[in-house]
């Protein structure tokens, strides 16, 4: 899977951008070049879609049978999902969804519930997901991007910066390396990223994320890794009354 989002949609941590990418010998690519390379890996089955100048999504069935992938669209919300949820049946009952709901469909429904009604903190919803997972949501109606990665390390995502400053995210490390020069890093496990509120750990929501400089085998500085800073504290998600409210995680009037 592949998502490319313009800067006006996603404001990534500055430390993801490596100074080495300014070197003309370490060239990052433009979004249309990245999409073409992704499609070339599996031209008979891969597909892509664009949303004006704001976002590009591309998806291809995995050649690895042990990695489940899903793509779903509901109510102008797009979800690309990797992995599997061991407690999907329980979650379907909890949310009152039909038995045929798959992981990608469930993630959209959970996101829509949080966006519109905000009955639970976002970090608690992600903590309730049992299994190995990584997903990217693009809400075309609200212009929102939401990314999350499970904590057990069995699913990996990588993100980086394209030549025009767009954020690129995929599970394909070789594609990210070829697309983003040295401005890339693993997406941190147990974390979520929202285009309006940035990167945070859903396992430790009261702790700040700390960038850690990363140098490759050639001694060149790459985009930073991000780890939970155990010495830090931050305020919790915005609250209304006694309940966390995700409504604030959308465009503000």
């Amino acid at each position: 899977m592949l998502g490319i989002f313009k800067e006006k949609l996603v404001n990534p941590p500055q430390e993801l951008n490596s100074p080495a990418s300014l070197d003309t010998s370490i060239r990052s690519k433009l979004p249309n070049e990245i999409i073409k390379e992704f499609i070339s890996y599996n031209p008979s089955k891969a597909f892509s879609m664009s949303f004006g100048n704001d976002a590009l999504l591309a998806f291809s069935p995995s050649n690895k049978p042990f990695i489940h992938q899903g793509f779903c669209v509901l109510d102008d919300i797009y979800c690309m999902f990797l992995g599997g949820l061991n407690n999907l049946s329980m979650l379907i009952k909890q949310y009152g969804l039909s038995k045929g709901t798959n992981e990608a469909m469930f993630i959209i429904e959970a996101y829509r519930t949080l966006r519109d009604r905000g009955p639970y903190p976002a970090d608690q919803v992600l903590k309730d997901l049992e299994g190995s997972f990584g997903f990217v949501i693009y809400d075309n109606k609200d212009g929102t991007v939401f990314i999350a990665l499970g904590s057990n390390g069995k699913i990996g995502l990588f993100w980086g910066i394209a030549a025009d400053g767009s954020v690129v995210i995929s599970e394909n490390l070789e594609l990210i390396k070829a697309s983003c020069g040295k401005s890339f890093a693993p997406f941190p496990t147990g974390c979520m990223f929202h285009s309006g509120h940035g990167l945070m750990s859903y396992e430790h929501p009261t702790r700040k994320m700390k960038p850690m400089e990363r140098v490759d085998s050639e001694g060149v500085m790459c985009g930073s890794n991000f780890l939970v800073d155990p010495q830090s504290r931050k305020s919790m998600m915005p609250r209304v009354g006694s309940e966390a409210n995700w409504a604030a995680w959308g465009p503000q009037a």
Side-chain angles (χ1 to χ4, degrees):
M1 69 181 186
L2 171 67
I4 305 176
F5 306 103
K6 288 296 181 72
E7 285 182 283
K8 71 176 185 178
L9 279 184
V10 176
N11 184 22
Q14 292 182 354
E15 296 85 358
L16 188 59
N17 214 328
S18 168
S21 290
L22 298 175
D23 185 338
T24 55
S25 67
I26 306 174
R27 193 181 78 86
S28 53
K29 296 181 179 179
L30 292 168
N32 63 322
E33 296 176 294
I34 301 170
I35 287 286
K36 286 181 180 178
E37 180 161 354
F38 179 87
I39 296 294
S40 72
Y41 293 160
N42 194 358
S44 64
K45 295 183 178 180
F47 63 88
S48 65
M49 56 189 69
S50 62
F51 303 85
N53 294 319
D54 296 337
L56 291 164
L57 300 178
F59 186 81
S60 174
S62 175
N63 293 323
K64 301 175 181 177
F66 54 89
I67 297 181
H68 171 73
Q69 289 184 318
F71 180 89
C72 185
V73 185
L74 291 172
D75 194 25
D76 216 13
I77 303 170
Y78 298 75
C79 177
M80 298 183 291
F81 183 91
L82 295 174
L85 300 178
N86 300 331
N87 61 337
L88 180 61
S89 296
M90 184 198 75
L91 293 168
I92 287 173
K93 292 179 182 178
Q94 180 180 334
Y95 281 77
L97 304 175
S98 64
K99 291 183 179 180
T101 300
N102 61 29
E103 281 92 347
M105 293 167 62
F106 167 75
I107 292 297
I108 289 180
E109 293 290 2
Y111 165 81
R112 186 162 55 177
T113 298
L114 289 165
R115 182 196 65 184
D116 297 342
R117 299 194 293 276
Y120 308 109
D123 55 273
Q124 183 58 57
V125 173
L126 291 175
K127 285 178 184 176
D128 288 342
L129 306 183
E130 297 177 4
S132 304
F133 65 88
F135 63 80
V136 176
I137 284 179
Y138 176 58
D139 184 340
N140 189 41
K141 184 182 295 183
D142 284 354
T144 300
V145 178
F146 180 49
I147 303 164
L149 183 62
S151 59
N152 65 13
K154 293 183 178 180
I155 297 292
L157 289 176
F158 304 89
W159 59 343
I161 308 297
D164 66 344
S166 297
V167 172
V168 184
I169 185 155
S170 176
E171 86 283 11
N172 189 323
L173 175 57
E174 294 307 312
L175 176 68
I176 292 289
K177 283 182 176 180
S179 303
C180 302
K182 296 296 182 179
S183 293
F184 74 92
F187 190 87
T189 57
C191 287
M192 60 184 184
F193 178 90
H194 186 277
S195 53
H197 287 261
L199 180 68
M200 68 174 287
S201 167
Y202 68 78
E203 291 191 302
H204 306 282
T206 64
R207 305 296 184 188
K208 295 180 180 179
M209 300 298 294
K210 182 178 180 180
M212 304 293 291
E213 290 186 356
R214 190 166 62 91
V215 177
D216 66 11
S217 59
E218 299 172 345
V220 178
M221 185 179 295
C222 300
S224 294
N225 287 330
F226 295 88
L227 304 174
V228 175
D229 184 354
Q231 305 301 319
S232 67
R233 285 195 69 84
K234 65 177 183 178
S235 58
M236 291 294 288
M237 306 282 281
R239 293 180 179 268
V240 175
S242 61
E243 293 183 339
N245 184 7
W246 255 39
W249 276 45
Q252 301 300 302

